[in-house]
Amino acid sequence: MQKLLEQCSVWSLRQAYTEVFSEVRSHPEVVQRLERAYTLLSRDMEYSIERGDSKALLQFRIRSPHGEYTVVPSQQSCTCPDAQQGQYCKHRLAVRLLLLALKRSHQAKMARELEQSR
Ligand SMILES: [Zn+2]
């Protein structure tokens, strides 16, 4: 994950967390997983997230101490047991946070560049 994660700042990850939290706050079981997802992104070195191999479909491979799972954001799917039971699992939430954080970091970087080029 560390390569993907290096591209986003702590600030953007925090912003992403706030955004997703506001969407799921009425579902305590999802909020709990969101906390977990944020923690594993921000400081759990036992996890890694990489882009999957498929060119046609955006997917991510998550390595965890419990196994390796694949998240496909466009299909709202993950291959972990939690997701098989219909839960919004922490892997999907982690990918969601990562994508939002990357977007925000990218926008912030573009804004800085524009600012400097004036
Ligand atoms: Zn999962």
Side-chain angles (χ1 to χ4, degrees), residues 14 25 35 50 64 90 104-105 113-114 118:
R14 195 69 216 165
R25 66 177 161 205
E35 295 290 342
E50 287 161 24
S64 82
K90 61 178 180 283
R104 286 180 179 276
S105 285
E113 283 166 7
L114 274 173
R118 273 202 291 182

Side-chain angles (χ1 to χ4, degrees), residues 21-84:
F21 179 80
S22 71
E23 292 167 10
V24 303
R25 66 177 161 205
S26 56
H27 306 280
E29 74 290 353
V30 183
V31 170
Q32 213 174 31
R33 289 175 173 85
L34 179 63
E35 295 290 342
R36 193 64 196 96
Y38 183 79
T39 306
L40 76 85
L41 279 179
S42 54
R43 51 174 183 267
D44 195 332
M45 293 303 145
E46 292 188 318
Y47 281 80
S48 75
I49 301 183
E50 287 161 24
R51 279 288 297 270
D53 303 327
S54 170
K55 291 238 171 7
L57 199 63
L58 180 67
Q59 56 180 32
F60 295 87
R61 205 167 42 234
I62 318 249
R63 287 204 189 89
S64 82
H66 316 290
E68 198 174 307
Y69 309 116
T70 303
V71 172
V72 182
S74 63
Q75 296 175 348
Q76 305 185 347
S77 70
C78 175
T79 53
C80 78
D82 200 25
Q84 303 313 306

Side-chain angles (χ1 to χ4, degrees), residues 78 80 83 89 91-92:
C78 175
C80 78
C89 71
H91 312 110
R92 278 181 58 208

